[in-house]
Structure formats: C-alpha cells, structure tokens
Amino acid sequence: MKIGIVPSVKEPYPNQFELSLDLNLINFFYYYFKNLNIEILKDKNNKNNYDLIVLSGGNDVYQVKKSKKNLLRKKLDNHFLKIALKKNIPILGICYGAQFLAYKYGNKLNKIKGHNNKINKIKFVKNDLINIKFIKTKCYHDYGIQKKNKNFQEIGMSSKDSIECFKIINKKIYGIMWHPERDKVFKKYNYELIKNICN
C-alpha cells in the first residue's frame, strides 16, 4: 500500500516557510497497514500513483484566514486534489484537510464558540463507511462545516450540528474533522474507516 500525505505549512519566522507533518500520523498508518510506503507530497512534479492521498491538518483555510503560509498550503492541496481526481485516487482530508475539501465543494465554514479542545460526541448516520453509532473524540478546530451543496453527504454530526465526517457524492473524496493520530491508543474504527475509503 502506498499513501501520499500533504504536509502543513508553518512559518516559524517571517518569510521562513517549513513543511511539517505530525510523526503520530505516520505512526498511525504504520501501526495498521503492513507493507506500507508513505511519501510526503511536496513536489509538484510528482507523478507517482497512490492508494490514498491524505490532506493532513495543521493550517487554516485561506479564505477564512488569509496568510502566505495558508496560501502556499492551498496551492499544494489544489495540486494534489487535481491529481487524485485525474487518477481516481481516494482522498481523505483530516481536520483542516476536511475543511479545505468542504469549502472547495461549495459548503460553508462557521466559527463555533467553545468547541476547540473539548470532548466532542459524533453521531453517525447509516452508511457503509463506518459501522458504529457514535464516538467521543477531542476537538481541535474552531470552524465547523455546514452543508450548502446537495452533492455533499453528511456521515457524522457533532452535538453542535457541525458536520464531522462526510463524502462528496460520486467522488472518492472524504473528510473527517477529528485527528486519528492524536488518540493515546489508536482506535480500530479509524483503521476500518480508512480501509473502507481505500476499497
């Protein structure tokens, strides 16, 4: 199995831009997937094939918070989204990555008060992606997703009526608003969800 991950863009000092990827995310994938090859997607000349492309967390959607680092991230994500669509590669957005995809496909991002750093209960509707009724997970985002596009399928909703898991209908595009890599003990439902996305 081969997974390509788009990293976040950080600016530790003015005009010094660095690519960053949480090692826990890499560890999560290696924990569950055997014979795995992971590539960090940073080179726009990359023509490799993947079983999954992941848009990692760690930035803000450029249209919500305009900055050079968010613009650089947006350009990377747009590039690898086009490749995924052209080659029919499944794509998964995690937190920021989910917000990017939701916004890209015509949905709205709303500021949610008192949501960040709290335990979030997510209820799932009947679907063939995840086979549980609800999960509790820590929230690391200030913006929630609101459906505006009819081709956007909600799979999981928070108690604040924010979309926490979704699929773009008729495309292999998925988003989750939680971070599977930040659990102290990796949860099997995250593995099953990603395995179903790749099938």
Side-chain angles (χ1 to χ4, degrees):
M1 182 169 184
K2 193 171 189 178
I3 296 177
I5 305 177
V6 179
S8 64
V9 178
K10 306 292 185 191
E11 187 179 8
Y13 303 102
N15 292 312
Q16 178 183 316
F17 299 100
E18 298 176 355
L19 299 179
S20 175
L21 190 59
D22 187 342
L23 283 176
N24 287 325
L25 185 60
I26 292 172
N27 291 338
F28 167 80
F29 284 117
Y30 277 122
Y31 182 81
Y32 280 115
F33 296 95
K34 307 305 175 203
N35 302 316
L36 177 63
N37 182 7
I38 291 178
E39 284 187 18
I40 298 173
L41 301 180
K42 58 190 181 346
D43 181 4
K44 290 191 176 180
N45 294 318
N46 184 329
K47 294 186 173 22
N48 294 336
N49 281 316
Y50 300 94
D51 297 294
L52 177 68
I53 289 178
V54 176
L55 306 183
S56 68
N59 282 98
D60 291 301
V61 173
Y62 178 72
Q63 289 80 356
V64 170
K65 196 179 280 187
K66 289 184 167 44
S67 70
K68 190 158 183 186
K69 68 179 178 180
N70 291 334
L71 179 60
L72 290 170
R73 178 66 197 268
K74 175 186 168 186
K75 288 179 179 178
L76 267 179
D77 291 327
N78 275 324
H79 177 74
F80 287 105
L81 174 60
K82 282 180 192 171
I83 287 173
L85 290 170
K86 185 177 178 182
K87 295 186 174 185
N88 203 29
I89 300 168
I91 192 159
L92 172 66
I94 297 174
C95 199
Y96 154 83
Q99 292 173 337
F100 167 83
L101 291 168
Y103 189 88
K104 181 87 178 169
Y105 281 87
N107 301 285
K108 190 175 175 184
L109 301 179
N110 291 331
K111 185 105 171 157
I112 305 174
K113 277 190 172 182
H115 197 59
N116 195 353
N117 221 19
K118 299 276 183 358
I119 296 297
N120 195 9
K121 185 175 178 180
I122 301 169
K123 184 178 179 184
F124 294 95
V125 297
K126 190 175 180 185
N127 66 87
D128 53 9
L129 189 60
I130 190 165
N131 192 26
I132 50 178
K133 292 185 179 174
F134 72 89
I135 62 171
K136 285 185 180 177
T137 186
K138 199 162 188 183
C139 170
Y140 294 97
H141 52 275
D142 293 314
Y143 287 87
I145 299 169
Q146 180 185 352
K147 180 177 178 177
K148 291 288 181 184
N149 188 317
K150 65 181 181 181
N151 294 324
F152 189 82
Q153 177 187 347
E154 307 106 308
I155 294 172
M157 298 290 293
S158 78
S159 54
K160 301 244 181 195
D161 290 329
S162 176
I163 297 166
E164 300 287 317
C165 182
F166 64 83
K167 177 186 188 324
I168 305 299
I169 296 170
N170 297 324
K171 297 189 185 299
K172 293 182 179 179
I173 297 175
Y174 304 85
I176 59 173
M177 288 298 289
W178 65 92
H179 287 262
E181 75 277 15
R182 291 187 184 172
D183 291 321
K184 287 182 182 175
V185 177
F186 294 142
K187 304 290 194 301
K188 195 169 181 186
Y189 61 75
N190 285 315
Y191 159 69
E192 289 170 352
L193 182 145
I194 291 165
K195 185 178 72 168
N196 288 335
I197 286 171
C198 292
N199 288 339

